[in-house]
């Protein structure tokens, strides 16, 4: 059973995933501690992908693939022709920089999909990244959230420009769909509707 | 005050439904503890020592009589018949049951109230001056913009999960009473040279573990841009604030790390994209919201009232109350009244359901049906006629709401502390009570004069101890409770962070420590000099010398 929600014209449905998520090889990372507590979040801009991880990433020979941003950049020559055939998307984690993506790809709309990996649902950077991709950098295609994606954040993700949600594997995507419509008439303008309530509705004068 | 339209009402109603379902899923085991925590916090629900605690929002401190009656009923029905007003103009119930919280919120929604974003890593309740709209020194009434910011920040999708909590205060007076310099964003409204409303924007203030006063990030911002400028600031913070360490996650740390010049550069770069975007406030929207804050239907009254003057002349107890609890009003013949929630020996900021009903009735009868909560944890009737003051005093006094101690040593700002809060290192309420009991002589309190004593039970600083003229902080040393004392903190335009005077004290020592500090002040003060001015002039050394003097040597 697929756990992918696709949103078309504000109408969500659970769909089959036609993309293969290309993972980075796992590496042993020692838990970092700050003030006695285990560090749960990576710092924005922190370089978290090693050269050997990039080199060791297995890129499937065919099919539609979502590559890690660093792999896309460093091994571009291997997949250039597949990019042209709209078979390549990229994913980045919430601590990675959009500048890196934009510097290395002239037209981000050549990607049929960009995905943001959220390791922990409480990491609200994903909302700003979605917003920037849509409203500043004009990305028009599928924008997917994956990782620790849960029902109670879907409304915010939708409003931040995401239209594809890979709900965490142990939760029901069918149940989660309800979260997309928690509120009918939100106050502020956002990506899904740039007009704030005071411009969207007649609220009197 | 602001009245909901159907859009506002729908949002709080949908919130109740959403939260009810979240509680159901949590109780059914469909949400883990970690997953439920940010959801309940963003609805004001803490899990405390004895029971959950529910923090209910009072946007910019403004309440109607009807709302206060409802709070009284809710406290009676679902709690132990009292509530606690907080230092951010909210109210807390200390003993609700988790299973009842959806029903409590449903009841509150019927009087246009909610608990949205009263905790958690999001934009919190917007706070302001308790005398907004009536203060003689007011330049701009900040309430309309505060309401517009409230709506904009409610479920803001991009800022739903920030690195840490985010507090905004607005102020439109010459003398800051909203503590804008200790907020993540402080907005100071003024009228610019073109006779337009403008905003001086402060950023990066905050107390807590690392107390820092805010800095001005922009001297002049046209009011239309209040929301988009906040979006620029909070976007930079959301992306670059530290999430690796909760103690370094507030925006103040980011501002310090980058330096204000670099921070300003990043904000301006971000804002260049957001300026004039659709969240720019329109004059129509400003007018729509401002209509809710138009002047009350005041009567045309003389500046003096003979019956009031006579009562003052003949009744010294009433006179003492007027001196401390009655404040100037911009309309002749009217005054603002502070009802003290600091009777000696009671937890500061606590109020019973019966008292809530009394206050609500007083507001209905004598103050156009509205009242305010102050960040000093008292209640204010903002529009009382001079000729009604004696009656208001008599009724308030009968219910223990007329302690004439506003601005005095026993008007203590105090967090719930270790009696309730699971974050606390030490109790704070018993310290406040012991000090109030020690200084129970009103003549002596009046002689000491204006002074602010603030107590926090831990370094999260809900009791604002850093900006108390005398600040007391509960600390934990090897499992026992100790108290660190600071002197010279101040809120307001010339805010400052207090200086620690030395090693901490036991709870039993605290009343005498305060006594000794006061002795130094009384000895050193010049004529009418206030405590804070004396403290700033002479520094902490004389206080330290007297407080730590060995028995019989220094004393």
């Amino acid at each position: 059973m697929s756990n992918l929600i696709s949103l078309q014209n504000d109408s969500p449905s659970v769909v089959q995933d036609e993309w293969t998520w290309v993972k980075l090889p796992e590496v042993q990372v020692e838990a970092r501690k700050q003030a006695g507590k285990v560090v749960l979040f990576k710092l924005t801009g922190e370089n978290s992908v090693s050269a050997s991880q990039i080199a060791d990433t297995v890129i499937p020979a065919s099919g539609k693939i979502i590559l890690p941003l660093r792999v896309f950049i460093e091994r571009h020559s291997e997949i250039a022709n597949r990019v042209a055939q709209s078979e390549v998307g990229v994913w980045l984690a919430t601590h990675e920089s959009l500048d890196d993506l934009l510097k290395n790809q002239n037209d981000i709309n050549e990607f049929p999909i960009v995905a943001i990996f959220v390791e922990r649902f409480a990491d609200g950077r994903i909302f700003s990244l979605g917003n920037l991709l849509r409203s500043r950098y004009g990305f028009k295609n599928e924008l997917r959230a994956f990782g620790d994606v849960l029902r109670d954040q879907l409304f915010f993700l939708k409003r931040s420009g995401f239209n594809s949600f890979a709900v965490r594997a142990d939760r029901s995507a069918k149940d989660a769909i309800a979260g997309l419509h928690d509120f009918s008439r939100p106050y502020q303008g956002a990506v899904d509707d740039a007009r704030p309530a005071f411009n969207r509705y007649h609220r009197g004068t | 005050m602001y009245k909901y339209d159907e859009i506002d009402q729908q949002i709080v109603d949908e919130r109740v439904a959403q939260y009810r379902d979240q509680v159901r899923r949590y109780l059914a085991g469909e949400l883990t503890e970690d997953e439920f925590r940010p959801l309940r916090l963003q609805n004001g629900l803490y899990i405390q020592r004895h029971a959950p605690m529910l923090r209910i929002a009072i946007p910019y401190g403004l309440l109607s009589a009807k709302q206060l009656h409802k709070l009284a009923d809710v406290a009676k029905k679902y709690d132990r018949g009292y509530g606690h007003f907080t230092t951010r103009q909210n109210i807390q119930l200390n003993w609700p049951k988790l299973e009842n919280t959806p029903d409590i919120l449903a009841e509150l929604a019927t009087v246009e109230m909610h608990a949205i974003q009263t905790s958690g890593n999001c934009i919190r309740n917007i706070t302001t001056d308790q005398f907004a709209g009536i203060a003689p020194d007011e330049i701009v009434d900040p309430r309309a913009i505060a309401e517009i910011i409230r709506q904009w920040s409610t479920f803001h999708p991009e800022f739903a999960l920030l690195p840490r909590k985010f507090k905004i205060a607005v102020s439109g007076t010459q003398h800051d009473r909203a503590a804008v310099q200790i907020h993540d964003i402080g907005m100071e409204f003024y009228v610019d040279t073109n006779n337009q409303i403008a905003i001086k924007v402060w950023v990066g203030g905050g107390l807590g573990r690392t107390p820092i006063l805010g800095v001005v990030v922009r001297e002049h911002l046209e009011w239309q841009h209040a929301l988009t400028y906040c979006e620029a600031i909070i976007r930079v913070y959301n992306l670059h604030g530290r999430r690796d360490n909760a103690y370094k996650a507030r925006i103040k740390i980011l501002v310090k790390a980058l330096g204000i010049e670099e921070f300003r550069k990043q904000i301006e770069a971000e804002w260049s994209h957001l300026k004039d975007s659709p969240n720019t406030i329109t004059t129509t929207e400003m007018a729509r919201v401002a209509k809710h804050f138009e002047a009350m239907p005041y009567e045309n009254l003389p500046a003096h009232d003979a019956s009031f003057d006579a009562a003052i002349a003949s009744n010294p107890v009433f006179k003492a109350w007027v001196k401390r609890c009655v404040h100037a009003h911009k309309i002749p013949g009217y005054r603002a009244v502070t009802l003290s929630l600091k009777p000696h020996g009671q937890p500061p900021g606590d109020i019973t359901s019966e008292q809530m009903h009394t206050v609500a009735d007083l507001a209905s009868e004598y103050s156009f049906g509205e009242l305010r909560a102050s960040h000093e944890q008292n209640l204010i009737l903002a529009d009382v006629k001079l000729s009604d003051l004696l009656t208001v005093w008599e009724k308030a006094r009968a219910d223990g709401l007329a302690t004439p101690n506003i601005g005095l040593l026993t008007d203590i700002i105090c967090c719930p502390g270790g009696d309730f809060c699971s974050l606390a290192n030490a109790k704070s309420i018993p310290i406040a009570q012991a000090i109030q009991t020690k200084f129970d002589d009103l003549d002596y309190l009046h002689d000491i004069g204006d002074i602010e004593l603030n107590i926090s039970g831990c370094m999260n600083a809900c009791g604002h101890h850093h900006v108390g003229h005398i600040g007391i902080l509960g600390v934990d040393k090897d499992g026992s409770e100790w108290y660190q004392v600071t002197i010279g903190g101040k809120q307001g335009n010339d805010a400052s962070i207090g200086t620690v005077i030395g090693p901490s004290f036991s709870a039993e020592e605290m009343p005498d420590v305060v006594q000794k500090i006061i002795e130094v002040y009384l000895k050193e003060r010049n004529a009418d000099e206030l405590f804070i001015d004396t403290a700033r002039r002479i520094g902490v050394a004389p206080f330290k010398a007297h407080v730590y003097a060995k028995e019989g040597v220094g004393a």
Side-chain angles (χ1 to χ4, degrees):
Chain A
M1 176 77 192
S2 167
N3 242 23
L4 182 67
I5 301 171
S6 167
L7 189 66
Q8 306 279 342
N9 302 319
D10 207 33
S11 166
S13 51
V14 177
V15 297
Q16 285 305 316
D17 191 0
E18 51 184 21
W19 291 90
T20 302
W21 169 36
V22 179
K23 296 180 195 180
L24 288 160
E26 301 257 356
V27 284
Q28 205 67 32
V29 188
E30 227 176 287
R32 264 192 301 159
K33 286 194 175 180
Q34 276 285 357
K37 291 187 175 173
V38 175
V39 174
L40 298 176
F41 298 93
K42 295 190 180 71
L43 287 170
T44 299
E46 178 177 331
N47 184 12
S48 56
V49 186
S50 69
S52 66
Q53 276 180 296
I54 294 169
D56 295 345
T57 298
V58 179
I59 302 178
S62 63
K64 295 181 161 188
I65 51 171
I66 310 176
L67 289 178
L69 176 62
R70 295 305 317 168
V71 172
F72 170 80
I73 293 168
E74 304 294 338
R75 294 171 60 183
H76 189 261
S77 57
E78 295 173 45
I79 41 99
N81 61 329
R82 295 172 70 186
V83 174
Q85 288 160 21
S86 297
E87 284 185 356
V88 178
V90 293
W91 68 266
L92 53 158
T94 48
H95 65 278
E96 292 187 284
S97 147
L98 288 179
D99 289 347
D100 239 12
L101 171 66
L102 298 159
K103 266 191 306 207
N104 290 285
Q105 176 70 21
N106 283 334
D107 177 10
I108 52 171
N109 281 314
E110 271 187 13
F111 297 125
I113 184 170
V114 171
I116 311 283
F117 175 68
V118 60
E119 191 175 349
R120 291 170 198 283
F121 74 90
D123 187 348
R125 286 178 289 196
I126 189 170
F127 306 127
S128 286
L129 294 174
N131 196 314
L132 286 169
L133 276 167
R134 291 293 194 208
S135 50
R136 175 111 10 116
Y137 305 120
F139 182 62
K140 296 190 179 74
N141 303 324
E142 182 174 345
L143 182 58
R144 179 181 296 185
F146 73 112
D148 199 13
V149 174
L150 300 172
R151 165 177 173 169
D152 294 290
Q153 286 75 49
L154 290 193
F155 181 74
F156 300 128
L157 287 168
K158 174 184 87 168
R159 297 218 69 210
S160 299
F162 290 85
N163 57 357
S164 168
F165 317 88
V167 174
R168 204 175 73 192
D170 62 330
R171 296 298 157 89
S172 154
K174 214 167 129 259
D175 288 352
I177 279 179
L180 286 165
H181 296 110
D182 277 342
F183 299 96
S184 315
R185 296 189 283 184
Y187 281 126
Q188 58 297 100
V191 178
D192 60 343
D193 191 335
R195 297 166 302 166
F198 59 77
N199 286 342
R200 226 181 302 137
Y201 311 106
H202 181 71
R203 298 192 78 181
T205 48
Chain B
M1 64 188 286
Y2 186 74
K3 296 268 183 296
Y4 282 8
D5 66 6
E6 54 183 45
I7 291 170
D8 302 300
Q9 190 64 50
Q10 184 176 23
I11 282 176
V12 296
D13 290 345
E14 288 178 341
R15 170 57 147 196
V16 173
Q18 180 199 39
Y19 176 73
R20 193 183 289 284
D21 188 59
Q22 288 167 344
V23 171
R24 180 195 63 75
R25 283 184 278 140
Y26 169 68
L27 293 173
E30 295 170 28
L31 281 169
T32 66
E33 202 69 55
D34 279 350
E35 289 162 6
F36 184 53
R37 188 182 306 112
L39 305 180
R40 66 170 164 78
L41 286 176
Q42 297 214 4
N43 223 354
L45 190 73
Y46 284 74
I47 302 297
Q48 294 280 51
R49 285 180 191 239
H50 311 289
M53 177 275 277
L54 182 66
R55 185 182 292 150
I56 298 157
I58 303 174
Y60 35 93
L62 201 52
L63 270 173
S64 70
K66 188 180 170 192
Q67 290 174 326
L68 191 57
H69 279 305
K70 175 60 83 177
L71 287 168
D73 292 340
V74 163
K76 197 91 189 165
K77 183 169 168 188
Y78 297 100
D79 204 288
R80 298 192 179 174
Y82 74 98
H84 171 79
F85 281 95
T86 78
T87 55
R88 295 204 76 255
Q89 302 182 296
N90 292 316
I91 185 169
Q92 296 179 177
L93 299 178
N94 279 321
W95 309 91
K97 289 195 176 65
L98 168 65
E99 304 83 89
N100 287 338
T101 52
D103 290 337
I104 294 175
L105 293 170
E107 288 212 26
L108 292 174
T110 65
V111 293
E112 307 181 3
M113 295 192 84
H114 59 78
I116 296 164
Q117 290 168 213
T118 52
S119 180
N121 296 335
C122 53
I123 303 171
R124 304 285 192 88
N125 187 29
I126 315 299
T127 54
T128 192
D129 174 19
Q130 66 265 37
F131 300 117
I134 59 123
D137 72 334
E138 185 169 87
I139 304 157
V140 177
D141 183 346
R143 292 174 299 173
I145 291 241
E147 173 60 27
I148 290 170
I149 298 173
R150 181 193 76 81
Q151 297 191 13
W152 161 84
S153 62
T154 298
F155 308 132
H156 195 297
E158 187 177 346
F159 308 134
L161 291 163
L162 295 171
R164 198 75 177 81
K165 60 187 170 184
F166 202 91
K167 300 175 178 177
I168 300 176
V170 297
S171 162
T173 52
Q174 278 169 359
H175 302 285
D176 166 46
R177 284 180 291 269
V180 294
Q181 292 181 42
I182 60 167
H183 282 78
D184 296 282
I185 291 179
M187 292 196 159
E188 195 180 329
F189 292 90
Y190 65 99
V191 175
D192 69 12
T193 49
N194 296 323
N195 218 23
Q196 297 294 311
I197 295 174
I199 309 166
K200 183 180 192 173
V201 185
W202 297 76
V203 72
L207 299 177
R209 186 175 289 253
T210 316
I212 296 177
L213 295 175
V215 285
V216 176
V217 65
R218 197 179 172 90
E219 289 284 349
H220 181 266
L221 180 74
E222 294 164 308
W223 63 267
Q224 293 88 337
H225 304 303
L227 304 183
T228 57
Y229 200 74
C230 282
E231 281 179 341
I233 292 173
I234 304 175
R235 178 175 288 171
V236 169
Y237 169 59
N238 189 39
L239 285 169
H240 299 286
R242 286 185 60 175
R243 290 170 188 268
D244 60 320
N245 182 340
Y247 301 134
K248 297 189 188 303
R250 294 283 293 273
I251 194 174
K252 61 192 172 185
I253 304 292
L254 180 66
V255 175
K256 277 278 173 213
L258 292 174
I260 186 63
E261 291 307 321
E262 172 61 23
F263 182 77
R264 183 180 292 125
K265 214 175 87 190
Q266 294 191 15
I267 299 303
E268 291 292 323
E270 195 58 48
W271 190 51
S272 68
H273 298 283
L274 294 169
K275 187 170 184 278
D276 299 320
S277 64
N279 282 330
T280 304
I281 306 166
T282 59
T283 44
T284 314
E285 174 64 358
M286 185 61 159
R288 177 186 81 85
V289 178
K291 269 217 313 234
H292 295 276
F293 301 100
E294 276 173 2
M296 293 297 184
Y298 294 114
E299 291 171 38
N300 233 329
L301 297 174
H304 292 279
D305 179 84
S307 69
F308 171 74
D309 292 342
I312 290 282
S314 64
N315 188 336
V317 186
F318 176 59
K319 186 180 173 187
W321 177 76
V322 169
K323 187 178 172 195
R324 297 313 316 185
C325 301
V326 173
H327 320 275
H329 196 293
K330 68 182 181 189
I331 304 296
Y334 284 87
R335 294 290 185 275
V337 168
T338 299
L339 300 169
S340 174
L341 300 185
K342 317 287 179 70
H344 295 176
Q346 296 294 317
D350 274 14
I351 182 170
T352 66
S353 288
E354 291 72 24
Q355 288 175 315
M356 287 189 229
H357 286 305
T358 300
V359 175
D361 287 339
L362 286 173
S364 294
E365 206 163 340
Y366 303 104
S367 196
F368 301 107
E370 292 185 11
L371 64 144
R372 293 103 182 274
S374 69
H375 83 269
E376 289 93 352
Q377 304 173 283
N378 294 305
L379 292 176
I380 285 93
L381 302 173
D383 302 288
V384 181
K385 282 192 272 188
L386 267 179
S387 55
D388 287 334
L389 284 173
L390 184 63
T391 317
V392 167
W393 171 67
E394 284 166 345
K395 291 184 176 179
R397 195 168 174 234
D399 237 350
L401 293 160
T403 312
N405 63 346
I406 299 308
L408 298 179
L409 184 66
T410 55
D411 184 10
I412 296 170
I413 294 182
C414 182
C415 71
D419 291 299
F420 298 100
C421 179
S422 49
L423 301 172
N425 290 322
K427 295 186 187 71
S428 45
I429 291 169
I431 303 299
Q433 289 170 323
I435 292 168
Q436 288 172 333
T437 307
K438 172 109 187 168
F439 290 87
D440 199 25
D441 178 344
L442 277 171
D443 290 335
Y444 187 48
L445 284 174
H446 282 272
D447 180 39
I448 298 166
D450 286 296
I451 184 167
E452 294 175 9
L453 191 156
N454 299 355
I455 308 176
S456 305
C458 76
M459 72 281 277
N460 289 314
C462 296
H464 297 180
H465 64 277
H466 300 109
V467 290
H469 303 169
I470 300 174
I472 299 175
L473 164 68
V475 291
D476 173 270
K477 274 204 279 192
D478 303 324
S480 61
E481 299 182 359
W482 293 81
Y483 298 88
Q484 191 181 68
V485 175
T486 52
I487 288 181
K490 189 178 182 302
Q491 55 172 327
N493 302 68
D494 56 342
S496 54
I497 305 285
T499 307
V500 177
I501 64 166
S504 47
F505 306 95
S506 69
E508 300 74 56
E509 291 175 297
M510 281 315 300
D512 286 335
V513 168
V514 175
Q515 173 70 45
K516 284 185 176 171
I517 290 169
I518 295 302
E519 284 166 10
V520 173
Y521 160 63
L522 294 177
K523 181 162 160 275
E524 299 286 341
R525 72 173 165 190
N526 294 329
D528 291 335
E529 196 177 35
L530 298 179
F531 177 89
I532 182 63
D533 296 324
T534 303
R536 284 180 165 180
R537 178 170 55 79
I538 67 176
V540 297
F543 294 100
K544 190 173 173 160
H546 189 50
V547 169
Y548 292 99
K550 292 271 181 288
E551 285 298 320
V553 181

